């Protein structure tokens, strides 16, 4: 009986017979209604509304993290490509610009393919495939040796293209998810 009594608490009535679990009687997720008024005269805190619940929409938070991730990867790729290509391959400004133009030329075809596949597959599947492709592209794009002798132009172009296309493919379903989860 001691284990049962340690898991339960008496209710507000104070009778030892009526017991509830601690989570049912907890005030952690409730906010006091102090009667504070906003500019329009309505109460700021509605009874039973918890500020923790508004932050608990996990799908929206994950979707926003994905958007920040893909924007960071795209910006990192496009801003580092001229420096990496000049350092490893001796490319000039013209060659680096052509590479970035090549990457940008894949945006529209990628969006068409994603729209076509999106009608037949679930957005979660598209997001998962795009994330895996982006991860593979990033791993292939990185240089693993100190001297960079095994880093070729073909590898740089191919894995940069895979990363860029995967990020653009990820953007469509992720934006749809934001719209669906937010509404």
């Amino acid at each position: 009986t001691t284990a049962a009594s340690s898991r339960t608490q008496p209710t507000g009535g104070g009778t030892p017979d009526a017991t509830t679990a601690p989570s049912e009687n907890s005030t952690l997720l409730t906010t006091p209604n102090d009667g504070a008024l906003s500019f329009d005269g309505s109460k700021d805190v509605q009874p039973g509304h918890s500020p923790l619940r508004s932050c608990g929409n996990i799908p929206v938070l994950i979707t926003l993290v994905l958007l920040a991730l893909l924007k960071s990867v795209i910006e990192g790729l496009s801003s580092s490509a001229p420096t990496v290509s000049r350092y490893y391959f001796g490319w000039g400004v013209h060659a680096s610009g052509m590479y970035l133009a090549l990457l940008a030329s894949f945006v529209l075809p990628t969006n068409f393919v994603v729209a076509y596949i999106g009608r037949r597959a679930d957005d979660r599947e598209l997001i998962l495939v795009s994330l895996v492709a982006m991860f593979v592209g990033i791993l292939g794009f990185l240089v693993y040796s100190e001297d960079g002798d095994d880093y070729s132009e073909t590898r740089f172009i191919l894995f940069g293209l895979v990363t860029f296309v995967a990020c653009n493919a990820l953007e469509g379903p992720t934006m749809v998810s934001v719209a669906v989860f937010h509404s």
Side-chain angles (χ1 to χ4, degrees):
T1 60
T2 59
S5 63
S6 68
R7 285 182 285 188
T8 59
Q9 299 175 349
T11 59
T15 60
D17 296 335
T19 57
T20 59
S23 62
E24 294 173 359
N25 205 17
S26 176
T27 58
L28 180 63
L29 294 179
T30 59
T31 57
N33 189 2
D34 59 357
L37 297 176
S38 66
F39 292 114
D40 61 355
S42 64
K43 294 197 182 225
D44 281 341
V45 179
Q46 298 173 357
H49 183 311
S50 169
L52 292 176
R53 283 190 203 152
S54 63
C55 294
N57 197 348
I58 300 300
V60 171
L61 293 175
I62 290 174
T63 304
L64 292 176
V65 167
L66 283 177
L67 283 171
L69 173 74
L70 72 93
K71 290 299 180 185
S72 299
V73 170
I74 289 175
E75 287 301 317
L77 177 66
S78 62
S79 64
S80 67
T83 305
V84 170
S85 64
R86 178 177 296 143
Y87 181 78
Y88 285 106
F89 314 121
W91 290 5
V93 176
H94 181 72
S96 295
M98 291 297 291
Y99 174 67
L100 291 175
L102 171 77
L103 292 180
S105 69
F106 279 90
V107 171
L108 195 57
T110 301
N111 287 332
F112 283 133
V113 170
V114 167
Y116 179 77
I117 294 172
R119 284 186 237 126
R120 289 157 179 73
D122 191 25
D123 284 342
R124 288 177 283 178
E125 294 169 352
L126 286 172
I127 290 172
L128 184 62
V129 168
S130 297
L131 281 172
V132 168
M134 183 175 68
F135 185 68
V136 167
I138 290 171
L139 289 179
F141 192 77
L142 297 176
V143 179
Y144 297 106
S145 63
E146 289 183 23
D147 55 1
D149 287 338
D150 59 342
Y151 196 60
S152 67
E153 290 180 357
T154 306
R155 179 176 161 192
F156 174 76
I157 293 170
L158 179 69
F159 285 111
L161 185 64
V162 167
T163 303
F164 191 80
V165 167
C167 286
N168 282 308
L170 180 61
E171 190 172 6
T174 306
M175 293 299 283
V176 168
S177 297
V178 168
V180 169
F181 291 138
H182 187 60
S183 60

